[in-house]
Each structure stands twice: as structure tokens, then as C-alpha cells.
Amino acid sequence: MALLAAGAMALRRKHDRPLPRPARVTAACLLAIGLLGLFQLMPLSPGLVRTLSPASAEVYSGAASIFAASGSSAPRLSIAPSETRAVALLAASTAAAFLAAASLLVSRSRRRLFAGVLLASMAGQAAWAVATQQEAGRVSGPFFNPDHFAGYLGIGLSLAFGGLVVALTGRPHQRGPIHAAWLERRLAAGALGVLLWGFFAAALALTHSRGGMLAAAATTLFLAGLAIGARAHRDQGIRSAQRATLAAGLALGILFVVAALGSRPLLRFLSTDPRDLGADTRVLLWTHALEAWKSYPVFGSGLGTFREAFRVVQPRELVGLVENAHGDVLQLLVTGGAIGALLGVAAWVALAIYLLRGTLLRIRREEGAFALAGLGTLVSVALHGLVEFNLSIPATSATLALVAGAAVAALRDAETMAGRGPASTGSDTTATP
């Protein structure tokens, strides 16, 4: 689907405003990761594999009889080609989804429809997870692991926060006295925004994911500081009462979550769960993952091959099969080498800086709030990704790409409305938050 949408993007008229350079850099880095996976899959001569990755050459040398029996004796950089093929396609489809969203969501009406459908889908999944929850259990929704569901809900929480900013800080279309009808609509929108944000926060808390809750709390504080501070610094026309309204709305949302859930999420931090990796275990895993990376320092062991690369250095203290590094950057470092890790970090940094700048400049408009939400999704997934592997989950990586692409589209639309570029097809410039 992402590739089809990217194809539709390519058919757009040539005079449409081009994507900004940071967005192109991000897309290029994601595509480069996919191409790295294809390079890891290419059959190479034994001498070249030995030069590029001695550890991969040793793996193929030790299993030469097995590969010969299967008719595939040519060595590759990837030590598990089938896994690498799947992850390379995931990286390419993520880039396509990002480009499609950035190019096709060119009007407020389209972005509102996209955000509404996405939030409704996430809310439905959360409601179903809570309704089918076992007593005192952790909700996981359609995900196998509650921690992964928490990472996914963190995207919805950031998007809901962007809606909360629009609902609580909008201004009337015209100067002069505030009409009662406008005030009623604003109060209704504000109440809906508070309830929506509180709903996602409560659902995330019910996953009892320590990393997810900490990432959500840190991201919310970061976004709130940007929303309130940027308004105070950049827009002298917005009164302090509006900033207080945003702070009060966020406080009401937090109170809603506390009243609904009580002390259960807090007690989660004070207890242990045998289903989770403990702190000492994670440190042991990360330490030996770095040892695995030293065997494949430049090109990696092959995208998606962490399990095979880690098995060689797995200590006796870690019982069972370790399939992931519980850290997105570390996992990419092992499987994609230094090249893959640098590409991943460059993609995140380029897009985050662009959205941060757009947030500070456009926070007073709906487009700025959308950029704020996109920045929040990047921060939330990155923070949670320090202890989890959210980007390896197709649903999470695809949703992140779509929201980030929509944020880029919002900033492009804002520049068009400011008169710094050609009008986008279908751009709705009459609606004002």
C-alpha cells in the first residue's frame, strides 16, 4: 500500500512545491538502509566477503555443506538472508509511506481526515484492549507485547496533544468582542481535546510499560514546554490567559487519568515482573550486543539478523533465545553496522530539527500544532526505543512515518499560505483554527 501511495505521489503535477531538504534527507536515509539490506543479500565472491566482513565469511565457510545442499553456496554479507529481505522491504516501505504522506496530505481537510481516522482506529484498539483485559492484567491490544502497544499508543498520544493545542489556543476569525457561539464551540472542542488526550494517556498507562510511561511523560513535558514557551516568545498577540488555558487543560487531562486509574501505574514502577527483562539483564544484553557488533563493524550482520549475530556471544546468564537488542539504535548497529546506524540517526536528526524549527515558527497555527505532534512522535518513539525495539514492529514504524510525513505536509502548506511557494493542489487555506 505504501508503494502504491508513493506511486500516486509521483504522478502529482511538476509545479507543486517540492519537499524540503530535511524531508528528502530523511527519505533518502531510509531508502539507503533498504539498499544496504539489498547489498547484504547480494551473492559475492568468497574473497570479497572475507575482505568486507570476515565474520560473515566464517559463517558461510562453516556452513558450506548446508548451503551447497540447498543450491545457494555463494556467500553473502547477511548471515540470515530471509530475515534481511523482510527488513529491507520494511525500510523501503517506510520511506515510501513517509514520502506519500508528505506529498499527498497537502490540505487541512486531508490532514484532519487522516488524523481523525488514525485516532479513531487507535482509540478503537485501546477500547477493545481494555474491554478484553484480564483482571489486574496488562493490556496489549493487537500486539503480542504490552510494551509494543505502549510504543504505538505513544504516537496517538502526541497526535492527540497536537489536537489539544489547536482546541485550547485557537483565536476567533475576526478581531473584536468574542461571540458566545464561538466561545461555546471553543469550550466544546477543548473538552473533547482534554478527554481524547486523557483517554490515550490512560490506555498507555494500562499497558504498565515502564519505558512507555516514562517516554510519554517526558515527551508530554517537552511538547508542553514548546507549546507554552514558544507562544510566549514568538507571538506577542497571544495573551497569557491562552497559555494558562493550555496548561489548565493538560492538568485536567492528567487529573482525569489519575482519577480513572488510581495508583496502579505507579505501583508498576515499584514491583517486578518476571515476564520483563530486568535492569541488570538489559545491561548484560547491551554489553554483549556491542561485542556482537565488533564482529560486523561496518556493514553489519544483515538487517533482521540480530538473533543469529548475538547467539555467538550470548552469555550463560541469558537463558533462551534473544531475538532483539531492546534498543533500536543498538539493534541497527549490530545488523546494519556503522553505516546503518549512521543512516538511521541522520534520518531522525534531519527530520526532528526541521519539525522543531517549524513548531517554533508556526505554533500559533494548526500547521504548527501538526508539526508539534509529528515532533512528539519522533521523540516518543526514540525515547522508548532506548529500551525497546519499536521500529522493528511494522505497525509502529509505518504509523510513525505517516504522522511524520503529515507534519512535513503541514509545514509545506504553511509556507504556501505565507506566500513562499506555489499553491498546493487542493490546499484549503480558508479554515482557521
Side-chain angles (χ1 to χ4, degrees):
M1 292 299 294
L3 296 177
L4 289 176
M9 171 205 69
L11 297 178
R12 291 180 56 79
R13 292 183 296 181
K14 294 182 179 180
H15 64 265
D16 285 343
R17 185 176 182 84
L19 287 175
R21 181 177 298 177
R24 297 198 300 269
V25 169
T26 296
C29 289
L30 292 175
L31 288 173
I33 292 175
L35 292 176
L36 173 63
L38 292 180
F39 178 66
Q40 293 170 334
L41 288 172
M42 290 177 57
L44 303 174
S45 65
L48 183 57
V49 173
R50 192 175 301 109
T51 300
L52 298 179
S53 179
S56 296
E58 184 177 351
V59 169
Y60 277 89
S61 176
S65 59
I66 298 177
F67 285 111
S70 64
S72 177
S73 58
R76 297 170 169 83
L77 296 181
S78 172
I79 60 177
S82 60
E83 284 79 2
T84 299
R85 186 179 301 109
V87 177
L89 289 175
L90 175 61
S93 61
T94 300
F98 171 73
L99 287 173
S103 299
L104 299 178
L105 298 178
V106 293
S107 68
R108 286 185 178 179
S109 58
R110 293 185 184 183
R111 289 190 296 272
R112 288 172 178 175
L113 178 61
F114 163 75
V117 171
L118 180 59
L119 288 174
S121 173
M122 287 184 163
Q125 295 176 53
W128 174 81
V130 174
T132 58
Q133 172 193 12
Q134 297 181 357
E135 185 177 357
R138 300 176 61 188
V139 300
S140 58
F143 292 79
F144 175 77
N145 192 314
D147 295 319
H148 301 161
F149 193 37
Y152 180 69
L153 289 176
I155 298 176
L157 188 67
S158 296
L159 192 58
F161 187 89
L164 183 66
V165 170
V166 173
L168 293 178
T169 59
R171 293 175 290 176
H173 297 284
Q174 299 177 351
R175 296 182 181 273
I178 296 178
H179 297 286
W182 178 88
L183 183 58
E184 289 178 0
R185 290 195 300 270
R186 186 56 55 192
L187 288 175
L192 180 61
V194 170
L195 289 176
L196 184 63
W197 184 89
F199 176 83
F200 278 101
L204 194 151
L206 286 176
T207 65
H208 292 184
S209 170
R210 295 184 183 93
M213 287 187 281
L214 285 174
T219 301
T220 299
L221 290 175
F222 173 68
L223 296 182
L226 283 179
I228 296 173
R231 289 177 180 275
H233 177 66
R234 299 295 303 185
D235 195 343
Q236 300 299 328
I238 292 183
R239 297 169 296 185
S240 59
Q242 290 181 299
R243 301 193 295 272
T245 300
L246 178 59
L250 185 58
L252 286 175
I254 295 174
L255 288 176
F256 169 79
V257 175
V258 173
L261 302 182
S263 60
R264 286 178 57 190
L266 179 61
L267 293 176
R268 163 69 176 161
F269 285 97
L270 304 178
S271 62
T272 58
D273 192 333
R275 296 171 294 182
D276 286 343
L277 288 172
D280 294 339
T281 304
R282 286 184 189 272
V283 173
L284 187 65
L285 190 158
W286 295 333
T287 302
H288 285 77
L290 289 175
E291 291 295 324
W293 166 66
K294 292 178 181 179
S295 299
Y296 310 89
V298 180
F299 295 97
S301 61
L303 300 179
T305 64
F306 180 83
R307 176 182 59 191
E308 289 75 14
F310 187 78
R311 189 179 302 172
V312 179
V313 298
Q314 182 171 343
R316 295 181 179 179
E317 295 85 348
L318 289 178
V319 181
L321 197 61
V322 180
E323 298 190 4
N324 295 280
H326 284 271
D328 282 325
V329 176
L330 183 57
Q331 182 148 328
L332 187 56
L333 183 66
V334 174
T335 61
I339 294 176
L342 288 175
L343 288 172
V345 172
W348 188 94
V349 170
L351 188 57
I353 292 176
Y354 174 69
L355 293 180
L356 176 60
R357 181 176 178 272
T359 294
L360 295 175
L361 293 176
R362 301 283 178 183
I363 191 64
R364 66 188 182 277
R365 304 182 63 93
E366 181 178 324
E367 287 70 31
F370 224 115
L372 183 72
L375 178 62
T377 61
L378 289 178
V379 173
S380 177
V381 172
L383 290 177
H384 196 205
L386 295 176
V387 294
E388 288 297 338
F389 46 97
N390 290 314
L391 295 181
S392 299
I393 310 299
T396 303
S397 59
T399 304
L400 173 64
L402 290 173
V403 175
V408 171
L411 291 182
R412 293 175 68 210
D413 199 20
E415 292 177 356
T416 298
M417 288 188 286
R420 291 199 292 270
S424 297
T425 302
S427 181
D428 179 9
T429 61
T430 60
T432 303

